[in-house]
Amino acid sequence: MAKIHLKYPTVSVGIDYISLSYPVSPVRATYDYCLDRLGIAGEVVTVQREQLYGYDGYRHNGRYVGIREDRERQGWWRVYELASSAGAAGHDLACRESDVTVNRLDVQATLLVHQGDTLEAIHRVNAVIRRVRDHVARYAQSATGHMRRLSHSWVESSSNGVTSATLYIGSRSSDVVTRIYNKTAEARINDGSGLLRVEVELKDSYAERARQAIVVHGVSAGGILASMLARYDIVVPGIGGVAVTDKRLTRRSTDKTIRWLRSSVSKSVARLVHSEGVDKGYLHALLFGGLGD
């Protein structure tokens, strides 16, 4: 299976969105702490208190910081932080040396496909996304293991004669979903630049492993993105990172594997165990030795 290379100039690459929580001592758990994390402590501000996911805090310039009592550590409080369009703020959050729980971490690259007439630029970006869509369809057909069940969807929307295309790789509700879309059309940019946006959204254990790769191993956001795209044989040479070879970043979590075994495999295995004429030695080898057909 041939890889697809998106060889276009890079406009930006980095952490696009991050949400996490961490414990703090009662002394620090104040609304002034929230304002300080937002960089507006001591200023005359007009931000209003806002509740989000059970936290009480403030939102300012695309970031939210809130606090609540920690349900697991008596006497402590827990801080929740969210940064959309994160940039440097996202990297700052990812590198915190606290007892952090990461809920979600998105990495992105924005590529310049064309510069010229705006309508032509949008058309060319959509053409690139279609090319990636066709590649993913071929990849799913030729893949082995759980990748054979790789889902992907294609969405087109039109407004004022302008068509915007979006490709989703993976279920939108899964822990890993990739979005490739027409940033020029989505953001209604009319300066003639045709921008392709490539994003990978990581949740729960995948998000935490990505944060550990950034904090402990010094992996760049580009390296995280390259690693996740490599799963589908998609290469973006200009994102400034080398794909992480550590399988801990992309491997299926043990808990998820167990849930899959229980829901999809356990009944079939039970029927084999209790059926007549099945070599029990084969079953043992299948379960403990990874024996295939």
Side-chain angles (χ1 to χ4, degrees), residues 37-65:
R37 285 297 303 161
L38 290 171
I40 53 178
E43 299 181 16
V44 177
V45 294
T46 58
V47 292
Q48 300 294 317
R49 288 257 292 276
E50 177 182 339
Q51 290 190 342
L52 182 67
Y53 306 131
Y55 292 84
D56 194 4
Y58 301 94
R59 187 187 299 272
H60 181 68
N61 288 343
R63 294 184 63 185
Y64 175 86
V65 181

Side-chain angles (χ1 to χ4, degrees), residues 30-285:
T30 66
Y31 293 112
D32 285 342
Y33 175 83
C34 297
L35 294 173
D36 183 61
R37 285 297 303 161
L38 290 171
I40 53 178
E43 299 181 16
V44 177
V45 294
T46 58
V47 292
Q48 300 294 317
R49 288 257 292 276
E50 177 182 339
Q51 290 190 342
L52 182 67
Y53 306 131
Y55 292 84
D56 194 4
Y58 301 94
R59 187 187 299 272
H60 181 68
N61 288 343
R63 294 184 63 185
Y64 175 86
V65 181
I67 56 174
R68 66 164 171 77
E69 291 189 47
D70 196 320
R71 301 186 182 100
E72 298 178 358
R73 301 179 64 174
Q74 187 174 3
W76 283 65
W77 288 67
R78 197 156 190 90
V79 177
Y80 177 81
E81 298 199 33
L82 177 154
S84 57
S85 301
H91 190 271
D92 168 58
L93 293 178
C95 293
R96 291 186 62 85
E97 296 179 358
S98 305
D99 181 13
V100 171
T101 299
V102 180
N103 311 112
R104 175 177 159 185
L105 189 150
D106 298 4
V107 288
Q108 68 83 22
T110 303
L111 311 177
L112 179 63
V113 173
H114 180 75
Q115 185 68 55
D117 177 73
T118 297
L119 290 179
E120 176 65 17
I122 291 173
H123 172 75
R124 294 202 183 190
V125 173
N126 286 338
V128 172
I129 301 172
R130 291 189 186 94
R131 188 159 59 91
V132 178
R133 176 198 62 185
D134 295 343
H135 164 83
V136 171
R138 291 192 299 269
Y139 174 83
Q141 291 176 352
S142 63
T144 58
H146 71 276
M147 281 297 183
R148 295 194 66 177
R149 298 184 299 277
L150 176 67
S151 64
H152 56 282
S153 58
W154 171 264
V155 178
E156 279 192 4
S157 60
S158 296
S159 177
N160 298 323
V162 175
T163 299
S164 177
T166 302
L167 171 66
Y168 293 91
I169 307 174
S171 168
R172 298 193 207 182
S173 61
S174 66
D175 289 346
V176 180
V177 60
T178 300
R179 290 183 294 271
I180 302 176
Y181 63 93
N182 194 322
K183 184 65 176 178
T184 296
E186 184 264 347
R188 300 182 179 181
I189 300 170
N190 59 6
D191 63 359
S193 58
L195 300 178
L196 175 71
R197 187 66 167 261
V198 182
E199 294 179 353
V200 174
E201 176 184 318
L202 305 169
K203 299 174 185 173
D204 300 330
S205 61
Y206 283 93
E208 177 55 29
R209 290 201 293 272
R211 189 188 78 89
Q212 288 293 325
I214 293 170
V215 175
V216 178
H217 303 291
V219 178
S220 67
I224 300 293
L225 183 59
S227 298
M228 305 311 295
L229 295 175
R231 306 168 73 195
Y232 320 119
D233 285 343
I234 299 173
V235 180
V236 185
I239 59 178
V242 178
V244 183
T245 56
D246 189 345
K247 296 298 183 182
R248 289 175 298 178
L249 179 62
T250 58
R251 71 187 180 192
R252 177 185 285 249
S253 70
T254 301
D255 288 344
K256 181 167 287 187
T257 300
I258 291 174
R259 290 197 298 269
W260 173 75
L261 286 171
R262 285 175 176 168
S263 64
S264 304
V265 179
S266 59
K267 291 182 180 179
S268 298
V269 172
R271 283 195 294 268
L272 285 175
V273 169
H274 295 290
S275 64
E276 297 292 334
V278 176
D279 183 356
K280 298 303 188 288
Y282 175 83
L283 288 175
H284 185 277

